[in-house]
Amino acid sequence: MSEIADKVKKIVVEHLGVDEAKVTPEASFIDDLGADSLDTVELVMAFEEAFGVEIPEDAAEKITTVKDAIDYIEKQKAE
Amino acid sequence: MFDLTGKTALVTGASGGIGAEIARALHAQGAVVALSGTRREALDTLAAELAERVHVLPADLSVAEEAARLIADAEAAMGKVDILVNNAGLTKDGLVLRMSDADWEKVINVDLAAPFRLSRAALKFMLRRKAGRVINIGSIVGTTGNPGQANYCSAKAGLIGLTKSLAQEVASRGITVNLVAPGFIETPMTDALNEAQRADLSGKIPLGRLGAPKDIAAAVLYLASEEAGWVTGTTLHVNGGMAMS
């Protein structure tokens, strides 16, 4: 797992208070990890802060799983 | 009841009559208060009066970026902002037919957009703590309208919508958002009225007098307290019975 993936996972575990084992790449924040819409907004803000990236609202809407978040941040970082 | 020991509050427009009284009331119940406004001297005078548990954080809220900066400063100064009182406001009166775009925008910007920006910035921190109080100061004219104040009335009516929407967005985190709508209050502005004008105005108020800043401060204190934890999205009219809605 990449460094970014590790960090994303850690943020998700911390923020949603879920078991680390449940935070698989395919896990959906809302459907699998019990997040509500406000949690997803807070997660995106936490990602922005942790990685120093800006995630515009239209991109944020498409980030629904752990993998979505990792992919988006990795792409931003690569650019 | 209404003990605020250990709580922190940021009051905008604290250099004005109502804002200063709100700060005094919250401070008297034990809160640490941050006073914001554009007039540094007036803020310093109030800070000297309160003596302790007080910070002075001047800001010009007509500048969009100042809102986020003010919240960051208040968080840094007090460690947190538990209570945000959006009290700052201004008027640029005139009949609609003669009102410039600039005067419309100026009032909407400071009286409606600034509370939006301040709330947005403060809520980021409040969400993490899963606690907080946002109290917007509206006006009776936001409900009744008032000739010559279309911009001000629109902003104050808009604040009611902002209050209700925000209240629903953050209720799940135990954060409440409410609005206090003052009627006619004794301020330097009403001091300019002559006796006949005052009598005429008082005659329109069922409780027979103009309000005092402390009438508003008491309502804010209630909404800021733990005791008001089950109240959100509401508009609390404090107007001597002048407009009952």
Side-chain angles (χ1 to χ4, degrees), chain A residues 1 6 9-10 13 17-24 33:
Chain A
M1 228 185 207
D6 275 343
K9 207 170 158 180
K10 199 167 156 244
V13 167
V18 291
D19 190 354
E20 208 180 320
K22 286 178 89 178
V23 187
T24 59
L33 301 176

Side-chain angles (χ1 to χ4, degrees), chain B:
Chain B
M1 280 188 125
F2 311 136
D3 180 25
L4 297 179
T5 306
K7 301 287 183 190
T8 63
L10 169 62
V11 181
T12 69
S15 49
I18 293 175
E21 202 56 37
I22 291 169
R24 283 191 192 100
L26 300 177
H27 185 266
Q29 292 306 109
V32 176
V33 294
L35 313 173
S36 189
T38 48
R39 288 177 291 136
R40 173 94 213 198
E41 248 176 66
L43 298 175
D44 284 339
T45 305
L46 179 58
E49 176 197 320
L50 299 179
E52 50 165 23
R53 288 181 283 116
V54 61
H55 302 267
V56 173
L57 305 173
D60 178 3
L61 296 174
S62 67
V63 180
E65 295 73 29
E66 288 273 277
R69 185 193 59 78
L70 174 58
I71 296 297
D73 285 356
E75 284 272 337
M78 302 190 289
K80 57 178 182 165
V81 177
D82 296 311
I83 302 156
L84 168 64
V85 183
N86 286 315
N87 167 71
L90 55 81
T91 55
K92 288 277 172 196
D93 296 354
L95 297 174
V96 167
L97 285 169
R98 301 290 297 165
M99 186 179 286
S100 67
D101 282 1
D103 283 352
W104 168 266
E105 280 157 17
K106 199 171 219 168
V107 171
I108 298 292
N109 184 42
V110 173
D111 296 7
L112 179 59
F116 155 73
R117 296 185 194 112
L118 287 162
S119 301
R120 181 177 58 188
L123 280 164
K124 268 187 205 174
F125 297 98
M126 289 180 179
L127 284 172
R128 276 180 214 161
R129 292 190 288 267
K130 300 201 180 344
R133 296 274 189 270
V134 177
I135 300 156
N136 294 316
I137 305 302
S139 168
I140 183 175
V141 301
T143 301
T144 63
N146 199 26
Q149 292 195 305
N151 46 6
Y152 185 70
C153 297
S154 299
K156 294 301 189 182
L159 270 184
I160 296 176
L162 173 66
T163 300
K164 290 178 178 177
S165 303
L166 206 46
Q168 292 176 49
E169 289 187 11
V170 299
S172 66
R173 301 301 193 271
I175 300 163
T176 68
V177 186
N178 290 290
L179 181 141
V180 173
F184 286 95
I185 306 298
E186 300 265 13
T187 62
M189 202 171 71
T190 52
D191 286 347
L193 301 174
N194 63 38
E195 273 313 306
Q197 288 172 315
R198 294 179 78 85
D200 182 50
L201 192 53
S202 298
K204 290 183 180 137
I205 301 172
L207 285 172
R209 65 169 174 88
L210 269 71
K214 67 176 170 47
D215 293 316
I216 305 308
V220 172
L221 169 60
Y222 166 64
L223 292 171
S225 73
E226 288 298 318
E227 284 80 358
W230 208 48
V231 179
T232 196
T234 201
T235 293
L236 178 48
H237 286 279
V238 183
N239 59 30
M242 193 171 177
M244 303 188 186
S245 64

Side-chain angles (χ1 to χ4, degrees), chain A residues 15 36-40 42 45 49, chain B residues 124 127-128 130 169-173:
Chain A
H15 193 88
D36 63 16
S37 61
L38 207 49
D39 284 318
T40 61
E42 285 184 86
M45 293 196 303
E49 205 171 299
Chain B
K124 268 187 205 174
L127 284 172
R128 276 180 214 161
K130 300 201 180 344
E169 289 187 11
V170 299
S172 66
R173 301 301 193 271

